[in-house]
Amino acid sequence: VQLQASGGGFVQAGDSLRLSCAASGLTFTAYHMAWFRQAPGKERQFVAADGAYYTNSVKGRFTISTDNAKNTVYLQMNSLKPEDTAVYYCAARWRNSAYYNVPDAYTYWGQGTLVTVSS
Protein backbone atom coordinates (compact mmCIF):
# COMPACT_ATOMS: atom_id res chain seq x y z
CA VAL A 1 0.00 0.00 0.00
CA GLN A 2 1.25 3.44 -0.85
CA LEU A 3 -0.17 6.90 -0.24
CA GLN A 4 1.69 9.53 -2.24
CA ALA A 5 1.05 13.09 -1.10
CA SER A 6 1.95 16.12 -3.18
CA GLY A 7 1.09 19.77 -3.72
CA GLY A 8 2.79 21.46 -0.80
CA GLY A 9 4.84 24.61 -1.18
CA PHE A 10 5.72 28.08 0.00
CA VAL A 11 2.91 30.63 -0.22
CA GLN A 12 1.88 33.99 1.16
CA ALA A 13 -0.88 34.48 3.70
CA GLY A 14 -4.23 34.55 1.92
CA ASP A 15 -3.10 32.30 -0.92
CA SER A 16 -4.51 28.89 -1.81
CA LEU A 17 -3.03 25.44 -2.31
CA ARG A 18 -4.45 22.07 -3.25
CA LEU A 19 -2.89 18.96 -1.82
CA SER A 20 -3.32 15.60 -3.49
CA CYS A 21 -2.84 12.09 -2.18
CA ALA A 22 -2.86 9.20 -4.61
CA ALA A 23 -3.50 5.77 -3.11
CA SER A 24 -2.37 2.48 -4.55
CA GLY A 25 -2.41 -1.12 -3.40
CA LEU A 26 -5.68 -0.90 -1.53
CA THR A 27 -9.39 -0.93 -2.29
CA PHE A 28 -9.88 2.80 -2.08
CA THR A 29 -13.62 2.70 -1.46
CA ALA A 30 -13.12 0.41 1.55
CA TYR A 31 -11.34 3.18 3.42
CA HIS A 32 -12.10 6.58 4.84
CA MET A 33 -9.50 9.18 3.93
CA ALA A 34 -8.21 12.04 6.04
CA TRP A 35 -5.62 14.74 6.34
CA PHE A 36 -3.54 15.46 9.41
CA ARG A 37 -0.77 17.99 9.93
CA GLN A 38 2.22 18.39 12.19
CA ALA A 39 3.89 21.69 12.90
CA PRO A 40 7.48 21.82 14.23
CA GLY A 41 7.61 20.82 17.86
CA LYS A 42 3.93 19.92 17.99
CA GLU A 43 1.90 16.73 17.92
CA ARG A 44 0.14 15.51 14.81
CA GLN A 45 -3.22 17.26 14.50
CA PHE A 46 -6.42 16.21 12.75
CA VAL A 47 -7.41 18.49 9.86
CA ALA A 48 -10.21 16.91 7.82
CA ALA A 49 -11.80 13.54 7.08
CA ASP A 50 -14.59 11.66 5.39
CA GLY A 51 -15.64 14.55 3.21
CA ALA A 52 -17.40 16.10 6.16
CA TYR A 53 -15.34 16.57 9.32
CA TYR A 54 -12.98 19.44 9.94
CA THR A 55 -11.03 20.81 12.83
CA ASN A 56 -12.46 24.17 13.89
CA SER A 57 -9.49 26.23 12.79
CA VAL A 58 -9.93 25.26 9.11
CA LYS A 59 -13.72 25.21 8.78
CA GLY A 60 -14.85 27.43 5.94
CA ARG A 61 -11.33 27.57 4.47
CA PHE A 62 -10.38 23.96 3.72
CA THR A 63 -12.31 21.35 1.75
CA ILE A 64 -11.57 17.64 1.62
CA SER A 65 -12.79 15.65 -1.37
CA THR A 66 -12.15 12.33 -3.06
CA ASP A 67 -12.08 11.08 -6.63
CA ASN A 68 -12.77 7.36 -6.47
CA ALA A 69 -11.97 6.92 -10.15
CA LYS A 70 -8.45 8.20 -9.48
CA ASN A 71 -8.04 6.74 -5.98
CA THR A 72 -7.13 10.22 -4.85
CA VAL A 73 -8.04 12.46 -1.94
CA TYR A 74 -7.61 16.21 -2.10
CA LEU A 75 -7.36 19.03 0.38
CA GLN A 76 -8.24 22.43 -1.05
CA MET A 77 -6.82 25.08 1.25
CA ASN A 78 -7.95 28.67 0.85
CA SER A 79 -7.18 31.84 2.81
CA LEU A 80 -4.05 30.26 4.20
CA LYS A 81 -2.61 31.61 7.43
CA PRO A 82 0.90 31.37 8.89
CA GLU A 83 -0.47 29.05 11.57
CA ASP A 84 -1.35 26.56 8.83
CA THR A 85 2.37 25.97 8.30
CA ALA A 86 3.04 22.26 8.83
CA VAL A 87 3.81 18.97 7.17
CA TYR A 88 0.51 17.61 5.89
CA TYR A 89 -0.14 13.87 5.88
CA CYS A 90 -2.87 11.90 4.20
CA ALA A 91 -4.11 8.78 5.91
CA ALA A 92 -6.51 5.90 5.36
CA ARG A 93 -8.60 4.03 7.91
CA TRP A 94 -10.90 1.06 7.51
CA ARG A 95 -14.48 2.12 6.91
CA ASN A 96 -15.87 0.40 9.98
CA SER A 97 -13.91 2.75 12.26
CA ALA A 98 -15.75 5.83 13.48
CA TYR A 99 -12.70 7.51 15.04
CA TYR A 100 -12.05 9.96 12.26
CA ASN A 101 -9.89 12.36 14.28
CA VAL A 102 -7.70 9.81 16.08
CA PRO A 103 -4.33 9.13 14.43
CA ASP A 104 -4.14 5.61 15.88
CA ALA A 105 -7.33 4.71 13.98
CA TYR A 106 -5.49 5.07 10.67
CA THR A 107 -3.71 2.14 9.10
CA TYR A 108 -1.88 3.77 6.24
CA TRP A 109 -0.06 7.09 6.02
CA GLY A 110 1.50 9.12 3.26
CA GLN A 111 4.99 10.54 3.49
CA GLY A 112 3.91 14.12 4.12
CA THR A 113 4.11 17.30 2.10
CA LEU A 114 5.35 20.59 3.56
CA VAL A 115 3.17 23.68 3.49
CA THR A 116 4.80 26.94 4.51
CA VAL A 117 2.70 30.09 4.78
CA SER A 118 4.54 33.37 5.08
CA SER A 119 3.06 36.50 6.57
Side-chain angles (χ1 to χ4, degrees), residues 7-108:
F10 183 95
V11 297
Q12 300 292 321
D15 286 350
S16 298
L17 276 177
R18 189 178 79 156
L19 306 183
S20 301
C21 174
S24 60
L26 55 73
T27 302
F28 189 70
T29 52
Y31 290 84
H32 283 304
M33 302 300 295
W35 289 93
F36 288 76
R37 65 187 180 187
Q38 188 165 17
K42 295 187 177 182
E43 294 187 352
R44 194 165 295 190
Q45 175 195 31
F46 168 74
V47 176
D50 304 1
Y53 302 110
Y54 298 89
T55 192
N56 285 340
S57 62
V58 308
K59 284 181 181 177
R61 300 189 297 122
F62 290 12
T63 303
I64 185 173
S65 62
T66 57
D67 184 336
N68 291 339
K70 295 182 178 180
N71 286 5
T72 300
V73 58
Y74 303 97
L75 185 67
Q76 178 67 44
M77 306 185 294
N78 299 329
S79 302
L80 282 161
K81 303 176 180 180
E83 52 263 43
D84 295 319
T85 294
V87 176
Y88 284 72
Y89 298 90
C90 56
R93 80 181 192 281
W94 188 244
R95 273 193 177 269
N96 64 1
S97 170
Y99 299 101
Y100 62 86
N101 60 346
V102 178
D104 285 348
Y106 288 81
T107 304
Y108 302 112

